[in-house]
Amino acid sequence: DRVLAVDLHTDQLQGFFDIPVDHLPARRIFAEHLKYMGCQGDDTVVVAPDVGGVHQAKLLADELNSPLGISVKRRTTPGESDVLEVIGDFKGRRVVMIDDMIDTGGTVIKAAEKLVENGAVEVHCAATHAVLSKDAAQRLAESPIDSVIVTDTIPVPPEKMIDKLTILSVAPLLADAISRIHTDSSVSACLRNNHYRQ
């Protein structure tokens, strides 16, 4: 009767359904956790890992009252890319990269290296779906990324549980949305709630 989804790869996917689709972003869950970590305000820069992710990064930056940065990349082969440049002022600041998923980890690792070169003192990565294919977990463990924050939309197997990894539950977000659907309340209102921090 209805589809409830978290961070579809593109908003256009909703057009493939002929039933109602509620597309919930995990951004608010990340925002509450990042605030708890102290990653907010002018000391933190939110970075889009590519030009396509600027909109989501801007929304998170607004949540954290932080400036926005952009990583410019060129895809060389499927699953591989080169980070050409990072745009923003990162010197002496914490950086938070946000993306919808981490697959091989190549994009965020290369961006993190470039951000550290440009003066970032901490680099955190927030991604909704932890695909973590191949040796991604090991590569992330050895990278300059200080923490990797994901949700539980995809189970992370024990062998990929690295010390840097924090898994946040989407259960409160989904439960709130389901409750609102059943009571004919506004689903979009649940995105303004503050109670999603673990």
Side-chain angles (χ1 to χ4, degrees):
D1 298 317
R2 192 174 189 124
V3 172
L4 194 60
V6 179
D7 279 335
L8 295 169
H9 193 54
T10 62
D11 289 337
Q12 291 86 339
L13 287 173
Q14 295 175 77
F16 288 92
F17 295 90
D18 56 6
I19 56 176
V21 178
D22 294 295
H23 183 201
L24 304 175
R27 180 183 66 253
R28 194 59 191 256
I29 297 170
F30 290 135
E32 294 304 315
H33 183 76
L34 289 162
K35 287 176 186 175
Y36 177 73
M37 291 172 58
C39 294
Q40 60 182 325
D42 286 337
D43 292 338
T44 299
V45 182
V46 178
V47 171
D50 52 40
V51 175
V54 170
H55 179 66
Q56 285 302 318
K58 172 72 168 73
L59 293 173
L60 180 62
D62 290 346
E63 293 261 3
L64 299 177
N65 295 313
S66 296
L68 179 68
I70 302 171
S71 170
V72 180
K73 72 176 183 181
R74 177 187 64 215
R75 193 160 296 281
T76 51
T77 59
E80 291 293 324
S81 62
D82 284 333
V83 174
L84 304 177
E85 186 179 357
V86 286
I87 302 167
D89 180 10
F90 309 106
K91 192 171 180 61
R93 289 171 154 174
R94 294 174 170 151
V95 172
V96 174
M97 289 185 286
I98 183 166
D99 210 347
D100 61 338
M101 68 176 177
I102 295 182
D103 184 4
T104 63
T107 297
V108 292
I109 290 170
K110 288 174 183 174
E113 290 168 352
K114 189 73 85 172
L115 289 162
V116 169
E117 284 176 24
N118 281 264
V121 293
E122 290 179 17
V123 179
H124 305 278
C125 178
T128 306
H129 311 296
V131 178
L132 300 178
S133 61
K134 301 179 183 175
D135 61 346
Q138 187 61 36
R139 292 175 66 206
L140 288 164
E142 295 167 357
S143 77
I145 296 173
D146 293 279
S147 70
V148 180
I149 308 159
V150 299
T151 73
D152 58 356
T153 57
I154 298 175
V156 177
E159 66 272 15
K160 295 189 177 182
M161 294 291 293
I162 58 175
D163 290 341
K164 293 180 181 182
L165 191 66
T166 298
I167 301 175
L168 305 177
S169 176
V170 294
L173 175 64
L174 292 173
D176 194 3
I178 291 167
S179 175
R180 288 172 184 279
I181 289 166
H182 281 280
T183 58
D184 287 324
S185 303
S186 168
V187 174
S188 60
C190 71
L191 306 180
R192 296 189 292 272
N193 286 350
N194 293 320
H195 59 271
Y196 300 133
R197 190 175 68 75
Q198 310 301 306

